[in-house]
Amino acid sequence: MLFLHGNAGNMGFRLPNVALMQQELRANVFIFDFRGYGASEGRPSEHGILQDAQAALLWLHTHPAVVSSAVFVFGRSLGATLAALLASSVGRSQDVHPIAGLVLENCINSVSDAVDAMFPFLAFPELKQRFLGLSWSAAGCLADIRAPILMMAGKADEIIGFHHHLRLFSSAPPSTLFRCYEKGRHNDTWQAPGYWVDFSNFLDACLKSHRSS
């Protein structure tokens, strides 16, 4: 499982989540810090962070201890936006190993949408075009993703709102699964009842489908 974390903090903040993910999903988890995060060198940029994610996925696919056909990508918040872009780049390429499945949790469609939700007094196109460093759009790349998709959303998301997740889901491929959690907030949906059951069932279904194909 390639774990792409959100914007705030670094991978150390996610270790309790990673430990539970290993336990509940019986999966190996690979998490890393993008350039400019934690102890990673460099400065974060739109192109550079996507390159980091692509390099991490390539490393997993070429590692002798990893079953290449069973690599999943998971992203939370802005990390889910990145995960969608990563999966779409895999879907468009004939030279990249496919992924077994994609899990997007509380996915932010774009930084622009996040600004509109969190800082409506700054929601002017001219301001956003000048100052926002990321132009990523999850909705714009979902159609290119060939892997099965699970979208997980907290109904109590206090950062961008549940309606945002419903709108993003409406632009996803018809086969996309959508699961929501009544008390799930933006950063703690993974602690909501039923979350790990849904996650585990999705992984099992993807692997079963792959073995039978």
Side-chain angles (χ1 to χ4, degrees):
M1 179 76 65
L2 175 59
F3 189 130
L4 302 176
H5 66 71
N7 180 60
N10 55 56
M11 65 180 181
F13 289 78
R14 280 81 184 183
L15 293 183
N17 187 185
V18 169
L20 193 58
M21 181 176 282
Q22 289 178 308
Q23 174 185 317
E24 294 290 337
L25 303 180
R26 306 177 303 283
N28 295 309
V29 182
F30 179 61
I31 186 171
F32 70 99
D33 275 329
F34 316 118
R35 62 187 68 190
Y37 284 74
S40 295
E41 298 177 351
R43 294 172 60 86
S45 68
E46 183 175 278
H47 180 65
I49 291 175
L50 179 57
Q51 278 190 323
D52 294 341
Q54 290 170 331
L57 183 61
L58 178 62
W59 184 87
L60 284 174
H61 275 308
T62 56
H63 194 287
V66 175
V67 179
S68 182
S69 61
V71 174
F72 289 82
V73 176
F74 166 82
R76 172 179 297 131
S77 187
L78 198 59
T81 316
L82 174 60
L85 265 72
L86 176 63
S88 71
S89 70
V90 171
R92 292 192 304 270
S93 175
Q94 301 298 320
D95 303 320
V96 180
H97 291 286
I99 59 175
L102 174 68
V103 181
L104 306 176
E105 182 193 313
N106 291 331
C107 182
I108 295 176
N109 175 46
S110 67
V111 176
S112 178
D113 282 1
V115 169
D116 291 348
M118 298 168 63
F119 309 106
F121 53 90
L122 297 176
F124 297 98
E126 297 80 7
L127 279 176
K128 292 190 291 183
Q129 184 175 2
R130 181 175 181 182
F131 293 107
L132 294 183
L134 297 175
S135 60
W136 294 342
S137 169
C141 66
L142 289 175
D144 293 325
I145 298 173
R146 299 179 184 177
I149 304 172
L150 169 63
M151 296 181 67
M152 310 176 85
K155 284 191 172 182
D157 189 330
E158 77 286 9
I159 301 297
I160 53 175
F162 183 63
H163 66 282
H164 177 102
H165 304 308
L166 291 175
R167 187 167 69 248
L168 184 60
F169 174 59
S170 69
S171 64
S175 59
T176 301
L177 297 178
F178 185 81
R179 300 289 182 266
C180 56
Y181 306 92
E182 197 68 36
K183 296 182 179 180
R185 296 179 296 181
H186 191 70
N187 289 308
D188 69 3
T189 297
W190 58 279
Q191 297 174 317
Y195 174 94
W196 293 111
V197 173
D198 291 336
F199 205 143
S200 181
N201 287 344
F202 174 73
L203 300 192
D204 289 346
C206 290
L207 294 174
K208 182 179 181 181
S209 175
H210 177 77
R211 286 193 295 266
S212 61
S213 62

